[in-house]
Amino acid sequence: MKDPLKYAFNLLKFRFRTEKELRMRMKRKGFSEEEINSTLDLLRQKGYLNERLLAEELAEKYHSKGVSPRKIGGILRNLGVGNGVVDETLQTLEINEEALIKIVEKITCGSKKLDKRTLRRVMNKFAYLGYNAQETFDFLKKYGFELDFSEFSE
């Protein structure tokens, strides 16, 4: 693909992207700095680069899966979204407890009692979603999940 604008539009048709993402992808594709800069300038002028919309779209996507606001912020910052936009986006997010309950219920097969193995699976899943151990234990306690400590005395 030799037309940098066409390539950028091809990337943008799937989802909003940051300038950082577009620049990196266009560089990888072999476009010159001059082509990249002029393409990004044109996209900026025409309103195709909107960090706020990108941040809101991705935050909603990850939030619906139970990802912690802290991890969503990290994802957005890694993509090149500015700190101000990230902070504004995260102000509206709360922990999606409904999604987390579904995750725990799936892992525990509906049981409220967690043995050592099941607790480890829940802890690993919550860590992957961006929650620390204290947040995980607080969540489990809040929703009435019990730890079976008889297996922990090994």
Side-chain angles (χ1 to χ4, degrees):
M1 187 174 283
K2 295 187 191 252
D3 181 3
L5 187 59
K6 189 174 182 180
Y7 180 68
F9 277 131
N10 189 43
L11 292 173
L12 290 168
K13 76 180 180 184
F14 296 103
R15 69 169 175 83
F16 292 111
R17 295 184 187 271
T18 62
E19 284 188 41
K20 177 183 173 183
E21 284 182 282
L22 288 173
R23 182 176 297 283
M24 186 179 66
R25 296 284 295 266
M26 292 174 78
K27 229 179 234 184
R28 238 189 283 147
K29 199 70 171 172
F31 294 108
S32 71
E33 277 299 315
E34 186 180 315
E35 289 175 311
I36 293 170
N37 289 335
S38 63
T39 301
L40 292 176
D41 286 343
L42 181 64
L43 291 172
R44 211 177 298 109
Q45 289 169 5
K46 299 288 184 186
Y48 288 104
L49 297 178
N50 189 327
E51 282 188 347
R52 191 168 314 290
L53 288 175
L54 169 70
E56 290 171 3
E57 178 184 290
L58 291 178
E60 180 54 40
K61 172 187 170 186
Y62 288 112
H63 183 257
S64 69
K65 296 178 181 182
V67 176
S68 75
R70 180 177 44 251
K71 185 167 183 174
I72 292 170
I75 292 168
L76 294 175
R77 285 184 182 92
N78 284 341
L79 289 174
V81 176
N83 285 333
V85 174
V86 171
D87 293 341
E88 284 178 32
T89 303
L90 295 180
Q91 282 178 353
T92 63
L93 290 182
E94 294 180 10
I95 293 174
N96 186 346
E97 294 182 351
E98 189 176 306
L100 295 176
I101 290 169
K102 287 179 183 176
I103 289 167
V104 175
E105 287 177 345
K106 183 175 180 183
I107 292 171
T108 64
C109 299
S111 173
K112 286 285 191 181
K113 210 166 199 154
L114 306 180
D115 60 18
K116 185 177 181 180
R117 182 174 168 270
T118 306
L119 177 62
R120 186 175 305 125
R121 289 182 62 210
V122 170
M123 296 292 290
N124 287 342
K125 182 64 176 183
F126 273 54
Y128 175 78
L129 294 172
Y131 298 96
N132 64 36
Q134 188 61 55
E135 291 167 327
T136 304
F137 281 119
D138 289 347
F139 177 84
L140 294 172
K141 184 178 178 183
K142 178 178 178 179
Y143 286 97
F145 290 94
E146 299 173 31
L147 303 180
D148 183 2
F149 287 106
S150 63
E151 288 191 33
F152 288 91
S153 56
E154 295 176 358

